[in-house]
Amino acid sequence: MEEKGVDGRVVKRLDSERSSNSMNRQRFGEVSGVLSIEEFFEDQEVPPWRKQLTFRAFFVSFWLSILFSFIVMKLNLTTGIIPSLNVSAGLLGFFFVKSWTKFLERSGLLRQPFTRQENTVIQTCVVASSGIAFSGGFGSYLFGMSERIAHRSSGSKDFKDPSLGWIIGFLFVVSFLGLFSVVPLRKIMVVDFKLTYPSGTATAHLINSFHTPRGAALAKKQVRLLGRFFSLSFLWGFFQWFFQAADGCGFAHFPTFGLQARANRFYFDFSATYIGVGMICPHIINVSVLVGGIISWGIMWPLIENKKGQWFSEKLSSDDLSGLEGYKVFIAIAIILGDGLYNFFKVLTRTLSGLFSQLQHKREAEDFSLGSSSRSEFSYDDERRKQLFLKDQIPIWFAIGGYVVIAAVSINTLPHIFPQLKWYYILVIYIFAPILAFCNAYGCGLTDWSLASTYGKLAIFTIGAWAGPLHGGVIAGLAACGVMMNIVSTASDLMQDFKTGYLTLASPRSMFVSQVVGTTMGCIISPCVFWLFYKAFDDLGLRTGQYPAPNAVLFRNMSVLGVEGLSSLPKNCLTFCYVFFATAILVNLIKDLIPKKWARFIPLPMAMALPFYLGPYFAIDMSLGSLILFVWQKLNKTKADAFGPAVASGLICGDGIWMLPYSILALAEVKPPICMKFLSRATNARVDKFLGS
């Protein structure tokens, strides 16, 4: 995933640990007792790094990048919970290129066989491209600058509306710095320190397994199942569209648990996407989101609403931050900041202690990989991988020179895009960025936990406070957040890819080039996908709309908080914020101190914070997906572990790609023919009056 919940990284961390273990058991159980992984592939020649970068790899990557950008964009603009899509990218990349090569082989035109190195290039390129849909801030800091979001916060005067031109330019000048900042450290991180990078390791095991006879047979079955649920999800989205002729129509507005529950956002909205997300996410994430929804919308908000007239004025609109909306927004921010601060210092402490330990005991570090309980490869694998990993060097002068040149261009360009972001703010960020990028990449190697958005929030508060309210501090803080997030996020992603390449014998040069090409694709594809959403849906960013973009509101209000202070909060809201800030830290502390067998039942504060603002409806979808997977695992754990991610990916991908024709229909102003509210006209009128009151 990346801290918890808001950017989905805890989902990625926990899910990768689960998927890595199950993949090892399923796919290499029969091999590890006889041959090591690299001994199994010993007869296959490793192609030179240039031959790993094929036209077909980038062609497939381009189309998969569009698909995954739609998926990530929809998740960004609805809840902000983004599961790890590495498995889906690796699986679909394998399927498409394997089909391509089979066709060419039968026609006698195949010149180069499909290798695991090429598969790694595809996966790297797709994840790098779709990752821009997250780090680009389309659901957080970037959209938070817009006038539409500004009207939902207390600092509504300072805004910058989206435009396709400046968004693409901004991404091009900030998205590549992270790649150059950690390239010189690849040998230290991967070979010398042997950092685990669980997501990168799990992806490598997946790709390695695909290219064994047994793994290829399993992958074929997985892709077939993914295709079925892809079609089902796509057709379900198409079917639902026919009944959405007006606001409040369609399956998504069905009062599943009654009218009162529907008014408090407790309902099932028939979303295939979040059922799939629930199947991919660990059970504790889904439970945490549901518990957070029950605490907030089931208990707290009804009680606070009864204080209308005492704690806040009765005349305030429902989305006024001086009223009930203020409690929803700022208590959620308090939980996010408390959880983020705790995990920042936790990962920083682990990073420093781990670095000190490895520098002091390098010999022991050769035999023991931090964060891993056991070794699964033989020494032959390490020697083979080390030899090829160090073969294609990336010159240090190239990395340093690239960083300096791009930083200089960025310092001169960004003030023209954001006049509030002065050149010396950017210079300070770029001086400290390599250190923070290293900390994030190293911590991610230990825990698989990227703190990209935490570093972004740090930039929001420091640069926003430095600029102040009179000099556009809100926009300056949000823009600085984008600069910092892109650097530290791409740095940890690149090191994850280096780990994957190390385990699949893919060249570091091909990994770097693939990351650059994927990032370039993402800088164009992601803004275009966002622009399609922005132009197609008039309610984009509205709390009652289909795409409320909750993180955009939260990030903007963090910036307002850092610039203007706490004076505008409603009565007792600050007290609640202090309590929930401390509670988030305390819950994390308890979770880390008690035995793991009990800690796994404690909810995650960051995941609990999301429904505080948005409502628990998506938590019901995710919980249903989690329940389906849980029952499936009880009935047949082997099949559930093998095919569960494929079913979930099909549900997510089908509903995600439906957004393309859906957006085109909206742009063409083609309206559905039917409005179905499930109730009689008289009852509908009463419901509309009740919900509007």
Side-chain angles (χ1 to χ4, degrees), residues 40 69 106 132 202 214 267 330 435 475 521:
F40 190 87
S69 293
R106 289 174 182 173
I132 299 295
R214 185 180 179 90
Y267 59 91
F330 289 104
I435 301 172
I475 295 297
M521 288 182 184

Side-chain angles (χ1 to χ4, degrees), residues 333-618:
I333 289 175
I335 298 172
I336 291 170
L337 291 178
D339 186 276
L341 187 66
Y342 176 88
N343 286 295
F344 172 76
F345 284 108
K346 172 184 169 182
V347 173
L348 183 62
T349 302
R350 286 189 182 182
T351 299
L352 295 177
S353 62
L355 184 60
F356 178 78
S357 175
Q358 287 181 329
L359 290 174
Q360 292 294 319
H361 308 286
K362 197 170 181 180
R363 284 187 179 179
E364 294 181 16
E366 293 292 327
D367 301 320
F368 181 77
S369 178
L370 282 175
S372 175
S373 58
S374 63
R375 290 179 57 86
S376 59
E377 288 92 9
F378 294 86
S379 58
Y380 171 81
D381 287 2
D382 287 331
E383 292 301 319
R384 175 98 167 124
R385 290 165 177 169
K386 181 178 178 182
Q387 176 188 4
L388 291 173
F389 189 73
L390 299 179
K391 179 182 176 183
D392 296 324
Q393 293 288 339
I394 300 174
I396 294 179
W397 65 263
F398 174 77
I400 296 175
Y403 187 89
V404 172
V405 170
I406 295 175
V409 172
S410 181
I411 289 171
N412 284 282
T413 304
L414 286 177
H416 293 287
I417 301 175
F418 305 106
Q420 302 91 337
L421 190 66
K422 306 301 182 184
W423 67 268
Y424 43 88
Y425 299 161
I426 309 167
L427 178 63
V428 170
I429 291 174
Y430 286 164
I431 290 173
F432 289 99
I435 301 172
L436 300 179
F438 165 76
C439 291
N440 194 46
Y442 189 96
C444 189
L446 294 176
T447 64
D448 205 30
W449 204 323
S450 172
L451 296 176
S453 67
T454 298
Y455 289 110
K457 291 163 195 167
L458 180 65
I460 284 179
F461 287 110
T462 54
I463 301 300
W466 187 0
L470 299 179
H471 299 90
V474 175
I475 295 297
L478 291 171
C481 171
V483 175
M484 184 64 75
M485 272 185 65
N486 276 279
I487 293 173
V488 298
S489 178
T490 53
S492 62
D493 288 346
L494 178 62
M495 205 56 68
Q496 288 269 21
D497 293 331
F498 278 146
K499 181 68 174 184
T500 303
Y502 173 78
L503 295 172
T504 59
L505 303 190
S507 169
R509 289 187 182 182
S510 67
M511 290 292 91
F512 183 80
V513 173
S514 179
Q515 188 86 17
V516 170
V517 172
T519 302
T520 303
M521 288 182 184
C523 289
I524 298 173
I525 293 172
S526 292
C528 291
V529 172
F530 171 74
W531 197 247
L532 187 61
F533 274 82
Y534 186 72
K535 289 297 184 181
F537 302 106
D538 294 333
D539 60 355
L540 187 72
L542 301 182
R543 187 170 62 87
T544 56
Q546 187 176 357
Y547 301 100
N551 287 333
V553 178
L554 296 178
F555 270 66
R556 182 177 182 89
N557 279 286
M558 287 182 197
S559 188
V560 172
L561 196 64
V563 173
E564 298 182 0
L566 306 168
S567 58
S568 62
L569 298 184
K571 186 178 180 181
N572 295 321
C573 183
L574 188 58
T575 303
F576 279 115
C577 289
Y578 288 145
V579 170
F580 279 93
F581 179 87
T583 301
I585 295 176
L586 182 63
V587 169
N588 275 300
L589 187 62
I590 295 172
K591 192 174 182 69
D592 285 337
L593 292 178
I594 66 175
K596 287 186 177 180
K597 66 177 182 178
W598 301 113
R600 61 194 178 97
F601 295 110
I602 297 180
L604 300 168
M606 187 75 74
M608 293 176 64
L610 293 176
F612 268 64
Y613 172 72
L614 196 57
Y617 65 92
F618 67 93

